[in-house]
Amino acid sequence: MTTTTTTTTITATMPKAPPHPLRAEAVRGFPPLAGIAVMVAVGVMMIATARTWQGDWAETAGRMHDGLLMALPIAAAAGCWHGGRERRRRTEELWGTAVRPPLTRLLASAVPVALWMAVGYLLVLASANVATWPYAQGDHPHLILVPGDTAALMAAVLLGHVVGRIVPSLLAAPLLGVAGYAGLALLGRNGVQPLDPASFTLNGSWPVWWQPLAMAAWTLGLALALTLAYAARRRATALLPLAAALTGATLLVQGGDATWQPDPLLRRQVCDTSTTPAICVNARYGDVLPQVTTALSGITGRLRGVEGLPVRWADRENGPRADEAQLPSLTPVGWSLVRGRLVRPDRYAFEAAYALSDRGQCERQSERVMFATDAVMSYLLAPNPFRGEFDAIEAKGNAAARAHLRANLAARAKLAGMDEERRRVWLSAYFAARAVCDDEGVPSL
């Protein structure tokens, strides 16, 4: 009984192990606030531009990467402010007497800020992808840029932290943030653009698998080299991360076009062949095809049985082929396509009908051909919601304008009043002549 009581008393009076310095720094004070700051900055930017990316995986990834333009300077400024903490508290001499070496003290202070910056950015990234998922119309999430972006944020914190310890000024942090914006702008304009961690343009391409790793080696290697050169007892250890940084930079600069690969979805079409012409959209937006088919159903219904038509509407990166008509583009997201839905099917149909009867590649058209084209457009879109305002303008114009309007109205009425067989023959002749720019072959009305 006595032994048990003694053991319990000794155990109860033993002191608890002190918390790890990293844990103490990470759960309170400035680091969480820094993470919240970058999360708010990038999050507000994403919310403000949600119309232009929500529903498109590629645009979501690209817009999140664009967020580095504001996140990197914030990270550098936050690291710089935290690095000058001991100077502001006037505790530098006290820390100089600590048992832990300078490098350990620096990392214990800087790493929590870097981790919180990464966490804040990744939370916004995850939220943006969750917001895109219900409206996605094809494609898949693009996360290939995440390793390089996260490494760049953490590197910016380390670089800023070292600057904050070296520069004895309260203005060092805001000035470093401003310098960060200017530096990113300069990197994006000259021959060292591949070294800019915030530089990226979709243009139908994605980086190869090793590009983000090389970017991470370049940014983190440079930051670690500077940190070791400043705080390590053996400064020669800075040569190893410096070598990694130079290797990554060399790969990025000399890689050139080899660091990018075309998006295979942009080169593939998804088609509905049940209509004439067939309707083909870019594979990135394959799930929008039923909406496009519905929007164009009035046109394709009126063209049933007509010959001489283009084989299909197509949305190709380099424009339609000789036997195709240009499908109105679904990009940039936020115009025709918003959160996976066509916002103006009537306008989309108008643009598709115009592309179908467009003779812009031919020489100047005669007035007779223009009357015929106007009549075809009006028939395909009947009722035409966009022609009325132009007619109203001509009706209020001079005598020539009013005469032109009367001729147009007469041509429209004649085409609309034909029986189905005769109109089908007339439209077949019209589109056959259109295909070869034969003005003489266009039948009169």
Side-chain angles (χ1 to χ4, degrees):
M1 182 69 177
T2 303
T3 305
T4 304
T5 304
T6 303
T7 304
T8 304
T9 303
I10 294 173
T11 303
T13 58
M14 288 181 63
K16 294 182 179 180
H20 194 278
L22 278 178
R23 181 181 181 278
E25 289 276 1
V27 298
R28 66 176 186 268
F30 181 77
L33 296 178
I36 293 173
V38 78
M39 183 169 61
V40 170
V42 179
V44 168
M45 183 271 291
M46 293 297 289
I47 292 172
T49 59
R51 182 184 178 94
T52 65
W53 57 262
Q54 197 172 6
D56 187 328
W57 292 117
E59 290 294 338
T60 301
R63 192 55 57 104
M64 275 301 304
H65 184 76
D66 291 342
L68 286 183
L69 289 171
M70 65 175 62
L72 287 175
I74 292 174
C80 184
W81 181 258
H82 200 53
R85 176 182 60 175
E86 307 309 329
R87 186 183 301 109
R88 293 192 302 274
R89 293 177 175 177
R90 302 182 185 277
T91 57
E92 289 179 291
E93 293 184 5
L94 179 61
W95 273 107
T97 64
V99 176
R100 295 189 180 94
L103 179 61
T104 301
R105 298 199 305 268
L106 186 152
L107 291 177
S109 178
V111 168
V113 180
L115 291 176
W116 270 104
M117 282 286 173
V119 167
Y121 181 81
L122 292 175
L123 283 176
V124 178
L125 175 69
S127 300
N129 280 277
V130 169
T132 287
W133 176 71
Y135 307 104
Q137 298 298 317
D139 206 356
H140 55 81
H142 294 278
L143 303 177
I144 190 170
L145 295 167
V146 175
D149 293 352
T150 307
L153 272 176
M154 300 178 73
V157 172
L158 286 178
L159 287 170
H161 198 92
V162 173
V163 173
R165 287 179 172 245
I166 295 174
V167 181
S169 173
L170 293 176
L171 296 177
L175 290 178
L176 182 62
V178 173
Y181 284 111
L184 291 175
L186 291 176
L187 282 174
R189 289 185 178 181
N190 52 37
V192 294
Q193 182 179 3
L195 300 181
D196 181 3
S199 175
F200 173 64
T201 305
L202 289 178
N203 284 335
S205 299
W206 291 102
V208 295
W209 66 270
W210 55 264
Q211 193 270 354
L213 302 180
M215 183 62 71
W218 155 242
T219 54
L220 266 182
L222 188 63
L224 288 173
L226 181 62
T227 301
L228 292 174
Y230 170 75
R233 288 180 177 176
R234 297 181 179 179
R235 289 183 170 84
T237 55
L239 294 177
L240 182 60
L242 182 60
L246 293 177
T247 301
T250 302
L251 289 173
L252 292 171
V253 172
Q254 294 187 350
D257 294 339
T259 59
W260 302 94
Q261 57 186 356
D263 188 342
L265 289 180
L266 289 180
R267 314 216 184 283
R268 187 161 60 87
Q269 299 278 295
V270 176
C271 300
D272 182 350
T273 57
S274 65
T275 65
T276 303
I279 302 172
C280 299
V281 301
N282 192 280
R284 181 186 286 180
Y285 308 102
D287 293 346
V288 186
L289 182 58
Q291 296 182 55
V292 174
T293 301
T294 300
L296 303 186
S297 60
I299 299 174
T300 54
R302 292 183 176 91
L303 291 175
R304 192 172 291 111
V306 175
E307 299 177 358
L309 294 168
V311 175
R312 64 186 68 86
W313 278 289
D315 182 16
R316 298 188 187 277
E317 184 180 9
N318 299 319
R321 297 171 180 170
D323 58 347
E324 298 174 342
Q326 178 64 50
L327 186 74
S329 179
L330 296 169
T331 56
V333 172
W335 292 83
S336 297
L337 189 67
V338 177
R339 295 181 177 92
R341 305 298 299 177
L342 283 178
V343 292
R344 289 293 303 273
D346 54 347
R347 182 176 293 277
Y348 194 83
F350 173 81
E351 294 174 0
Y354 182 84
L356 196 65
S357 58
D358 180 37
R359 293 170 57 87
Q361 75 276 18
C362 306
E363 296 179 358
R364 183 176 177 83
Q365 305 171 50
S366 65
E367 191 173 41
R368 179 178 63 84
V369 173
M370 288 191 289
F371 286 143
T373 299
D374 177 81
V376 171
M377 286 283 291
S378 296
Y379 169 71
L380 293 180
L381 294 168
N384 188 339
F386 303 101
R387 188 61 200 177
E389 57 186 79
F390 295 106
D391 290 348
I393 293 173
E394 286 191 324
K396 296 177 181 179
N398 55 26
R402 293 195 299 272
H404 186 270
L405 175 60
R406 288 193 297 271
N408 269 333
L409 293 174
R412 296 175 203 168
K414 188 172 182 180
L415 181 60
M418 293 180 183
D419 61 76
E420 289 189 11
E421 181 60 31
R422 184 184 175 195
R423 185 166 50 239
R424 190 178 299 115
V425 172
W426 189 95
L427 288 172
S428 297
Y430 169 83
F431 282 107
R434 170 204 171 280
V436 293
C437 296
D438 179 15
D439 279 10
E440 296 300 325
V442 174
S444 300
L445 283 172

